[in-house]
Amino acid sequence: MAAAATMAAAARDLMLRAGASDMEEEEGPLGGGPGLQEPLQLGELDISSDEFILDEVDVHIQANLEDELVKEALKTGVDLRHYSKQVELELQQIEQKSIRDYIQESENIASLHNQITACDAVLERMEQMLGAFQSDLSSISSEIRTLQEQSGAMNIRLRNRQAVRGKLGELVDGLIVPSALITAILEAPVTEPRFLEQLQELDAKAAAVREQEARGTAACADVRGILDRLRVKAVTKIREFILQKIYSFRKPMTNYQIPQTALLKYRFFYQFLLGNERATAKEIRDEYVETLSKIYLSYYRSYLGRLMKVQYEEVAEKDDLMGVEDTAKKGFFSKPSLRSRNTIFTLGTRGSVISPTELEAPILVPHTAQRGEQRYPFEALFRSQHYALLDNSCREYLFICEFFVVSGSAAHELFNAVMGRTLSMTLKHLESYLTDCYDAIAVFLCIHIVLRFRNIAAKRDVPALDRYWEQVLALLWPRFELILEMNVQSVRSTDPQRLGGLDTRPHYITRRYAEFSSALVSINQTIPNERTMQLLGQLQVEVENFVLRVAAEFSSRKEQLVFLINNYDMMLGVLMERAADDSKEVESFQQLLNARTQEFIEELLSPPFGGLVAFVKEAEALIERGQAERLRGEEARVTQLIRGFGSSWKSSVESLSQDVMRSFTNFRNGTSIIQGALTQLIQLYHRFHRVLSQPQLRALPARAELINIHHLMVELKKHKPNF
């Protein structure tokens, strides 16, 4: 039935389309214009409906009347009945034509219907298949979820089994004793690399077994016996090897540093003993300490004894002080004095011992020095001895830390056990030597050697010698201060009247002080020490007082000034050779020298030009007080001064220059004094000119005899000494 209804609907549709197309092709009976070809717009009027409403008919009629086609027909007077019949006839024709078309297309329509029916069947089967697919997918998703849950559980079990396998593998690997290990421990020499490798393996297995035994693992009992026997065998071989190396140190003429360095390659042997047989490790350490302690003590005692034999035979004694005169020793049985006591206070080339190149130079070889008849000062022997001590101590400390696996206080204790006796012997020897040492420069150089060696030890990261350096300095500083105080006291107690004849040249005590002070200042500049500067300050005060006491012995002020200037100049010159220009000592003596030089120049100009100096000072004072009128009464005095200066200034200047050059040992200083005196003379004469230019003296006839100031300057330059 559904198919028949579908076919009927399709037929009606075709008929309507055919009729519409025929009406479009044929002209209407009205001969019609183009407006008559359009169909009536009846809208949605349904005359077959039982719910027809007249009001709506009016509405449709009104709408149709407004249609253009209807309006045109009404205007032309077309007969509607005739037109209606014509339309009905056309519809019948269209219907018959549509039926014929339908009959012609019936086979196609039937074929279309069959195809549609087949499509419906296919779609129905597809719907069934998709439904089946949907149900299958639902079941598959649930299966996938189940598989995911099973996979997660299997992964957890796998990880757990792998973890257990790893633990068990580690346990089994740690407990199994391979044949290669047994063979190497029992048969291989300890010097072969495979013995060291298998020894490390044995140590690891022993540690693993101890750890598992602590956890209560029963399987450890199966390998404990084998490991113990291997451990005993390894300990025995290692003990024999290390003790043999230590005993080789004791052979005469043996360089113990070579086997000691070789032991470092086998430092794991001691670590193995420390972890597996502490009694044997202690035995080896004690044997090493005992052997090396004796070796170091014997070596340094012998070296120190032979080293002191190449010291200078002439050393400073208690009478070799700064204030002691050279002729003090006159006893028949007294020992001969030093060839020159001044060498005790002179640095010379001794300061090179603390230079970087000399400080770490190779140590002295006593028998070579004796063969070449070479002699050295104490500080050179001290440097050689302590550089050897520093070098060996640093090497020993680093060896102890590395081989015996110690650090901190434990390393210090072991180092002191090895080197303690040697260090104590060295301290006792130094203390004994310092008891009769009066060479302050040597002691001060030793102090600075220790300070530098202490810095070197710190750079090498070896703190084990810190206490020893402090002990050495505790011996050196008091002795240095004592010797310096003895020199201060010797200068303080020196009586100038007992020194023999007076001489304006530099005194030997001031020369000693200058050399001694410049030596200590130059050494102290590298590593400044305030205590040293204080002691030098005390010595400087005493020397200045001594110079003043000696100067007071001269009868004339001029000789006193010459003596003071010569001594200050000499001390300043020596100090400036070694000390910095801005040091306190240089500045102090420069001020003293300038003050005495100015006073001497005034004293030098006083005899020939004293009247001129006195008049200029008096006249300037009167002018300053506004009493210049009093100068009118000085005309005769002024005339005498002008003529006296003009007649005698050349001879006076010549005599002055010769007197200065005879008085001062330092020609450069004498030249400076002459220049200062001539400069002051020119300034004096220029001031005299200004006084004579006052109105009260301007008309003085003697002014014509004044020497031109520029002419005087040119003439005085001729008297300037050239060296």
Side-chain angles (χ1 to χ4, degrees):
M1 292 297 292
T6 302
M7 292 178 64
R12 283 197 301 271
D13 185 47
L14 290 174
M15 291 175 63
L16 290 174
R17 291 180 180 177
S21 61
D22 291 339
M23 289 181 65
E24 291 176 358
E25 294 176 358
E26 297 179 359
E27 293 183 355
L30 298 178
L36 297 180
Q37 294 177 0
E38 296 181 3
L40 292 175
Q41 300 294 329
L42 298 180
E44 297 179 355
L45 182 60
D46 187 5
I47 60 175
S48 61
S49 175
D50 294 336
E51 298 179 358
F52 178 75
I53 301 174
L54 295 179
D55 293 337
E56 294 181 358
V57 173
D58 293 335
V59 174
H60 286 293
I61 292 174
Q62 187 63 32
N64 288 328
L65 290 176
E66 292 178 357
D67 185 83
E68 295 296 330
L69 182 62
V70 175
K71 287 181 179 181
E72 184 67 23
L74 292 177
K75 287 180 181 180
T76 55
V78 175
D79 187 358
L80 293 177
R81 287 190 297 266
H82 181 266
Y83 181 72
S84 174
K85 290 180 180 179
Q86 183 179 354
V87 169
E88 185 178 357
L89 180 60
E90 290 177 353
L91 287 174
Q92 289 177 357
Q93 292 176 354
I94 291 170
E95 181 179 2
Q96 291 177 0
K97 188 176 181 180
S98 298
I99 292 171
R100 288 194 300 269
D101 291 340
Y102 177 75
I103 292 171
Q104 290 177 357
E105 296 293 332
S106 60
E107 293 181 359
N108 294 333
I109 292 172
S111 175
L112 178 62
H113 175 70
N114 292 334
Q115 292 177 1
I116 292 172
T117 302
C119 287
D120 288 340
V122 171
L123 291 174
E124 184 176 0
R125 287 195 303 273
M126 289 181 65
E127 182 179 5
Q128 294 174 356
M129 290 174 62
L130 290 174
F133 287 158
Q134 184 176 6
S135 61
D136 291 343
L137 289 175
S138 299
S139 61
I140 289 172
S141 62
S142 62
E143 291 177 0
I144 290 174
R145 285 194 295 271
T146 302
L147 290 174
Q148 287 177 343
E149 294 174 357
Q150 293 176 356
S151 176
M154 291 175 67
N155 284 333
I156 293 174
R157 289 196 297 272
L158 177 61
R159 286 196 298 270
N160 292 338
R161 291 178 181 178
Q162 288 177 342
V164 172
R165 179 182 178 182
K167 296 292 183 180
L168 289 176
E170 293 177 1
L171 177 62
V172 172
D173 291 341
L175 296 179
I176 291 177
V177 182
S179 59
L181 188 151
I182 298 173
T183 303
I185 297 298
L186 295 178
E187 300 177 0
V190 295
T191 55
E192 287 191 5
R194 66 190 184 106
F195 179 83
L196 180 60
E197 295 175 0
Q198 296 303 325
L199 185 66
Q200 293 173 343
E201 182 69 18
L202 177 61
D203 185 61
K205 289 187 178 298
V209 169
R210 286 194 296 269
E211 181 182 357
Q212 294 301 327
E213 283 181 341
R215 297 179 180 178
T217 304
C220 296
D222 296 339
V223 295
R224 167 53 68 184
I226 298 175
L227 291 177
D228 287 342
R229 290 191 292 273
L230 290 174
R231 179 179 57 80
V232 171
K233 182 63 176 178
V235 167
T236 303
K237 295 174 70 174
I238 291 172
R239 176 181 175 276
E240 293 176 356
F241 173 75
I242 296 180
L243 288 179
Q244 182 182 1
K245 287 289 184 182
I246 294 175
Y247 293 152
S248 66
F249 298 168
R250 303 175 181 178
K251 296 179 181 179
M253 306 301 293
T254 299
N255 185 356
Y256 67 91
Q257 294 179 359
I258 296 176
Q260 188 184 49
T261 304
L263 272 179
L264 285 178
K265 296 191 298 183
Y266 307 103
R267 55 183 173 273
F268 182 75
F269 289 175
Y270 185 80
Q271 298 177 22
F272 178 81
L273 296 178
L274 202 61
N276 295 275
E277 192 62 43
R278 286 189 172 271
T280 304
K282 185 178 183 302
E283 176 190 4
I284 288 176
R285 187 178 67 177
D286 294 345
E287 192 65 33
Y288 176 85
V289 169
E290 181 68 19
T291 300
L292 266 294
S293 177
K294 292 179 180 179
I295 289 175
Y296 281 124
L297 180 61
S298 174
Y299 169 76
Y300 276 100
R301 180 181 290 139
S302 173
Y303 180 69
L304 196 55
R306 288 184 281 118
L307 199 62
M308 297 305 295
K309 293 180 180 179
V310 297
Q311 185 183 8
Y312 282 131
E313 295 179 358
E314 296 178 343
V315 295
E317 299 179 359
K318 63 179 180 179
D319 293 328
D320 295 321
L321 299 175
M322 192 175 297
V324 177
E325 55 185 312
D326 288 333
T327 59
K329 294 185 178 181
K330 296 181 180 180
F332 181 77
F333 296 102
S334 62
K335 295 169 60 178
S337 180
L338 295 178
R339 286 191 296 269
S340 175
R341 183 174 281 111
N342 291 334
T343 58
I344 303 173
F345 308 101
T346 304
L347 183 61
T349 59
R350 298 170 67 182
S352 62
V353 73
I354 59 174
S355 64
T357 54
E358 291 289 333
L359 192 66
E360 298 186 56
I363 64 174
L364 300 177
V365 182
H367 65 271
T368 303
Q370 287 178 334
R371 191 182 305 120
E373 297 183 354
Q374 295 177 339
R375 292 293 183 266
Y376 301 93
F378 175 72
E379 64 271 10
L381 309 181
F382 182 87
R383 182 216 67 89
S384 180
Q385 169 199 351
H386 280 81
Y387 184 66
L389 187 65
L390 169 69
D391 203 32
N392 285 281
S393 296
C394 290
R395 183 183 293 106
E396 185 63 34
Y397 180 80
L398 296 175
F399 174 82
I400 287 172
C401 292
E402 191 170 358
F403 186 80
F404 292 103
V405 199
V406 290
S407 60
S409 60
H412 286 194
E413 292 177 3
L414 190 55
F415 175 81
N416 290 330
V418 174
M419 299 293 298
R421 297 168 64 185
T422 302
L423 298 179
S424 299
M425 183 272 298
T426 306
L427 288 173
K428 289 180 181 178
H429 175 269
L430 179 62
E431 185 177 8
S432 174
Y433 179 85
L434 291 177
T435 303
D436 295 324
C437 178
Y438 297 92
D439 189 350
I441 293 179
V443 176
F444 197 54
L445 284 171
C446 291
I447 290 173
H448 279 263
I449 289 171
V450 171
L451 295 177
R452 284 161 174 77
F453 281 166
R454 184 169 64 180
N455 293 336
I456 293 174
K459 290 179 181 178
R460 296 183 183 182
D461 196 19
V462 178
L465 286 173
D466 289 350
R467 185 170 178 272
Y468 174 76
W469 300 132
E470 293 175 0
Q471 292 174 329
V472 173
L473 292 175
L475 293 175
L476 293 173
W477 273 117
R479 189 63 189 179
F480 172 72
E481 294 175 1
L482 176 62
I483 299 173
L484 214 55
E485 290 172 357
M486 291 173 65
N487 282 281
V488 171
Q489 183 61 33
S490 70
V491 175
R492 184 185 297 124
S493 60
T494 300
D495 185 3
Q497 295 180 354
R498 298 177 56 187
L499 297 178
L502 297 175
D503 191 347
T504 58
R505 290 175 297 180
H507 200 276
Y508 64 85
I509 291 181
T510 58
R511 181 173 295 279
R512 290 175 185 174
Y513 164 76
E515 295 286 351
F516 183 72
S517 180
S518 65
L520 297 188
V521 169
S522 63
I523 296 171
N524 194 62
Q525 285 176 346
T526 55
I527 303 179
N529 180 268
E530 189 62 30
R531 177 59 178 162
T532 304
M533 302 310 298
Q534 292 175 359
L535 294 172
L536 284 177
Q538 296 176 12
L539 182 60
Q540 179 182 344
V541 171
E542 294 301 329
V543 171
E544 291 177 4
N545 293 335
F546 167 77
V547 172
L548 294 176
R549 290 200 305 270
V550 176
E553 298 295 321
F554 291 94
S555 58
S556 68
R557 182 57 180 167
K558 180 179 177 182
E559 289 180 333
Q560 293 177 359
L561 292 174
V562 170
F563 176 78
L564 292 174
I565 291 173
N566 277 330
N567 281 274
Y568 291 153
D569 177 64
M570 183 273 299
M571 290 188 285
L572 183 62
V574 174
L575 283 171
M576 291 182 66
E577 289 180 2
R578 295 186 179 275
D581 293 341
D582 58 349
S583 64
K584 294 180 180 179
E585 292 79 10
V586 172
E587 184 178 353
S588 174
F589 283 113
Q590 186 68 60
Q591 293 175 356
L592 291 172
L593 178 61
N594 293 339
R596 299 288 81 80
T597 300
Q598 183 61 34
E599 185 180 354
F600 176 77
I601 290 174
E602 294 177 359
E603 189 73 22
L604 190 66
L605 295 176
S606 180
F609 307 107
L612 184 63
V613 173
F615 172 76
V616 170
K617 289 183 178 179
E618 293 173 5
E620 288 177 344
L622 291 174
I623 294 171
E624 186 177 356
R625 293 196 301 267
Q627 301 175 0
E629 289 297 328
R630 296 176 59 182
L631 295 176
R632 296 184 184 276
E634 301 290 340
E635 293 179 355
R637 181 183 177 187
V638 171
T639 301
Q640 183 180 359
L641 290 174
I642 292 174
R643 291 172 180 172
F645 183 85
S647 62
S648 64
W649 73 269
K650 289 185 178 181
S651 60
S652 298
V653 168
E654 184 67 29
S655 175
L656 179 150
S657 299
Q658 294 177 0
D659 187 17
V660 169
M661 300 312 297
R662 285 194 303 268
S663 299
F664 298 101
T665 56
N666 186 348
F667 291 148
R668 189 180 299 277
N669 184 39
T671 302
S672 175
I673 292 175
I674 293 175
Q675 290 178 351
L678 297 180
T679 301
Q680 192 162 334
L681 179 60
I682 292 173
Q683 293 174 351
L684 175 65
Y685 202 67
H686 181 67
R687 290 161 60 193
F688 184 61
H689 270 255
R690 285 191 300 179
V691 171
L692 295 183
S693 64
Q694 295 295 320
Q696 293 80 7
L697 300 175
R698 191 176 300 167
L700 187 67
R703 289 186 75 251
E705 301 178 22
L706 284 172
I707 300 174
N708 183 274
I709 191 69
H710 297 289
H711 175 71
L712 180 63
M713 293 174 63
V714 172
E715 291 296 325
L716 289 179
K717 285 183 178 179
K718 297 178 181 179
H719 293 273
K720 177 182 177 182
N722 296 313
F723 299 100

